[in-house]
Amino acid sequence: AQSVAQPEDQVNVAEGNPLTVKCTYSVSGNPYLFWYVQYPNRGLQFLLKYITGDNLVKGSYGFEAEFNKSQTSFHLKKPSALVSDSALYFCAVNMNRDDKIIFGKGTRLHILP
Amino acid sequence: ETGVTQSPTHLIKTRGQQVTLRCSSQSGHNTVSWYQQALGQGPQFIFQYYREEENGRGNFPPRFSGLQFPNYSSELNVNALELDDSALYLCASSPGLAAYNEQFFGPGTRLTVL
């Protein structure tokens, strides 16, 4: 069965420092990978996705993610964190099957001023 | 361009009751998916509708049912509510069935079952 793992419940980063939010996946075949962000009392917002091609994808708000097929990872990164980046981040995979998109359990990112 | 809207925002029901949640998709989007997000968890896929037909279902019992209307808006119905149905219910629309399409989420409906 396909699955997505976000090994860290919470990540704390000082403002201005680089941040990484980890995601690994387990699927058979070639997945489409996504990152979404959720602010308090809001729905999820799309950040970026990997379909094919360049392993480094760039998205909204200065975020980027690196697809690593050999390590089955899709870590979210940002060179310089902002306090406003504090939110809940979800990694997701879609294999276009009946169980559609599968989300990780989320990682709470806390940027310290 | 209007985003995805959901109603109501909050809802309180008792065990055994039935509930209907509503969703208006983003303009131009013909595909709607519903998710259940329990506290502290990621969203779990309930089902997806494409042009008024169900197109895929997650691991949810038949008491979770849905509809999609000609204008692509959608309803989620839950019968015989259980305490564990308490969650944030999210609706998301996309411009088609392609798995590489990102989804556009509404703000959710917070359902509390007492």
Side-chain angles (χ1 to χ4, degrees):
Chain A
Q2 62 181 26
S3 64
V4 176
Q6 294 182 241
E8 302 153 319
D9 290 337
Q10 181 163 314
V11 171
N12 297 320
V13 177
E15 187 176 26
N17 282 1
L19 69 87
T20 298
V21 182
K22 296 179 180 177
C23 172
T24 59
Y25 62 91
S26 174
V27 300
S28 56
N30 297 315
Y32 301 116
L33 296 158
F34 302 81
W35 276 100
Y36 288 85
V37 60
Q38 187 175 33
Y39 297 100
N41 302 313
R42 301 278 295 276
L44 278 68
Q45 295 179 32
F46 169 76
L47 279 180
L48 50 79
K49 65 183 177 183
Y50 173 80
I51 300 175
T52 187
D54 193 349
N55 289 341
L56 184 66
V57 293
K58 296 186 182 296
S60 306
Y61 312 120
F63 284 93
E64 57 190 28
E66 186 168 11
F67 172 64
N68 187 318
K69 188 171 184 177
S70 63
Q71 297 186 3
T72 62
S73 67
F74 189 55
H75 300 331
L76 180 70
K77 300 181 180 184
K78 187 173 182 180
S80 178
L82 300 173
V83 172
S84 58
D85 293 330
S86 298
L88 190 54
Y89 290 79
F90 291 98
C91 180
V93 61
N94 195 337
M95 294 294 293
N96 201 30
R97 302 184 329 197
D98 280 349
D99 47 359
K100 300 301 177 184
I101 192 167
I102 303 294
F103 284 87
K105 64 178 174 58
T107 298
R108 187 164 298 282
L109 179 61
H110 189 203
I111 308 301
L112 308 169
Chain B
E1 184 178 85
T2 306
V4 178
T5 60
Q6 292 185 244
S7 62
T9 306
H10 296 88
L11 204 52
I12 299 175
K13 292 285 189 179
T14 57
R15 271 187 309 175
Q17 285 188 312
Q18 177 266 343
V19 68
T20 297
L21 310 182
R22 294 177 175 83
C23 170
S24 292
S25 60
Q26 183 160 314
S27 176
H29 288 185
N30 56 20
T31 304
V32 171
S33 301
W34 286 92
Y35 298 87
Q36 181 194 67
Q37 186 178 16
L39 203 60
Q41 301 296 318
Q44 284 201 312
F45 173 73
I46 302 175
F47 42 56
Q48 182 183 73
Y49 279 84
Y50 171 69
R51 294 188 174 184
E52 303 179 59
E53 297 288 330
E54 185 178 293
N55 178 67
R57 188 180 182 92
N59 188 27
F60 280 82
R63 60 189 185 85
F64 285 78
S65 63
L67 283 173
Q68 188 179 32
F69 300 99
N71 66 354
Y72 304 132
S73 66
S74 179
E75 287 183 354
L76 164 66
N77 299 291
V78 187
N79 293 323
L81 283 167
E82 300 177 0
L83 296 180
D84 284 349
D85 295 334
S86 295
L88 181 68
Y89 288 85
L90 295 166
C91 167
S93 72
S94 55
L97 285 176
Y100 52 74
N101 284 328
E102 61 265 34
Q103 302 203 0
F104 294 77
F105 283 82
T109 294
R110 173 76 59 188
L111 173 65
T112 301
V113 182
L114 302 176

